[in-house]
Amino acid sequence: MQVDRIGAWKFAVIFTVLILSLGGLGARHFMLVRKDGQRLTDLARRHQQMTIREAGRPGNIYFASGKSYMPAAVSRQTPSCFADPGEIPLQKVAQVAADVARVLDMSAQEVEKKILDRSQTRFVWLQRHITARQAQELRALGHRGIGIQHEWRREYPGRELGSTVLGFPPAPGNPNTGAGVEKIFSDLLEPRDGKRVTLTDASRRQLTALDHLRELPMDGANILLYLDATIQEALERAVQAALERYEAQWAVGVVVDPHTGAILGMTSYPTFNPQEYWSAPAENRTNRAITFPYEPGSVAKPIFTAAAVDAGTVTYETKIFCENGVYVMPRAGRVSDHGQHYGWLTVHDGLRVSSNILMAKIGQMMGNENLHATAMRFGLGQKTGVDLPGEEAGIIRPLHKWNTYSTPRVPFGQEMAVTALQMTMAFAALANGGELLEPHVVDRILDANGALIWQSQRSVVRRVVSPNVSAQTLAALADAVENGTGTRAKMARWTAFGKTGTAQVPGPGGYEPGAYTGTYVGGAPVSNPRVVCLISVHRPRRSLGYYGGTVAAPYVKDVIERAMVYYDIPPDRRTGSFAGR
């Protein structure tokens, strides 16, 4: 009996110890679950699961090409090399780094530093956008913790073609960088990445896909431009040729459809290759057609002339005495016609030969208030609303800052600064019957499946002159091509209209000696203009030529002539002078 009591006592002790142990374990389990449960669960999941990012494709950008489109900016998948530092034993890091560095043409120290600096993480890029051969060699090494992941790489098949319009994408996480269409539409072009989750074994080898956790990537939207590859190429060649021929500092060009506001071509030279944008100076990456305002000179004359005719101040047959070449005004200084000695001229003829004195007298008839209102009505010194980033407004000073010197000079393009696009759109208004339009680069935006997201619409800002005055102005500008300052823009098969401009470049202490901007803006055909084109050449070498009729008009002619052929416009030119006079 004594033995039984002793055995029962021992059993009770053992049982009590077991119960207490189980209680302690339960309490510890409760504490772990309560305090560290989520951390431990996540840790286990990380060791049992692998999440693989599936990159969506960035949207493409397309040039117009006749009635179809061609790629302007596209994305192609390329391999990139990464490391999983947690899978590389510390004692093997140096050897792995040396092997990888040899394939990637990097220093072993650089690769080793990248791995060690991120040793507490599971992912670090070693080199992005490597070749297929390098990817194959890295796989052949068989190093655990070294992997290949495919990414989308932005490419520009046309290289420099349209580069200052296309721009380049913002840097990841920095929306203030980037340029052009790539920047302003980056939210639409950017894809949404997906992910694929798989179970793994202890060696991180993938076993089974967890399809219920998969998130499919969503590709970016595609942008279709009005910018036409053929017109753009012709414009770029012309602008480059003008700059190189006259050794200018920079030059810009714009081509628009005057009836819709569609920008068919826009360039700035020197330019850059967006594939390697970081290697180009900042000024070459700038779209000067919308960001560099300059004094326009005589290309502004048709705007103020048309406004004066539209207001009934003058008609195109009104005769004005041009003072035989020199006009001295009380409290307004001296205006000359630069060696020309004109007497009486009709307004039509004054525009044809580009008389400063005739324009000065029209300015005095209109007065500062009407001149200022005209500039504003035609959109000068104001942003056009173009769908591109970085547009500058230019300068039209407040009316209260104008004086008696402003009155005769504003009408021939002094005391103001405009962008090339502003002046092109003002001319487009004269060419389309009198409506100032909002310009557009983008035609439409489609989602990844081809469904329409957005479609550009013709947008009238305001009417600036009547259709009748528009037609009369085109007749005078056509005469300027036939018998005036724009003869070097005359085409053999089509009628054309246009205006030259030669502006001095203002500096801190007045106009800079020998510094000019030569401009020509014109269009064709006269009866129903299909295109309007402007080219401005900034600071050409004076000894080689600087007048707009010399440095810009022949190159505008080349672009317009190419456009007439491209759009299959029937020749409308008669032998002899323009019949519309």
Side-chain angles (χ1 to χ4, degrees), residues 169-196:
N174 192 350
N176 293 325
T177 59
V181 172
E182 291 273 31
K183 176 178 182 175
I184 198 168
F185 292 102
S186 60
D187 288 346
L188 290 169
L189 290 164
E190 188 175 344
R192 189 191 71 190
D193 289 344
K195 68 177 183 179
R196 180 165 52 88

Side-chain angles (χ1 to χ4, degrees), residues 542-561:
R542 192 177 190 278
S543 61
L544 298 175
Y546 60 94
Y547 288 112
T550 301
V551 302
Y555 301 97
V556 171
K557 171 198 168 184
D558 290 344
V559 176
I560 293 178
E561 210 158 33

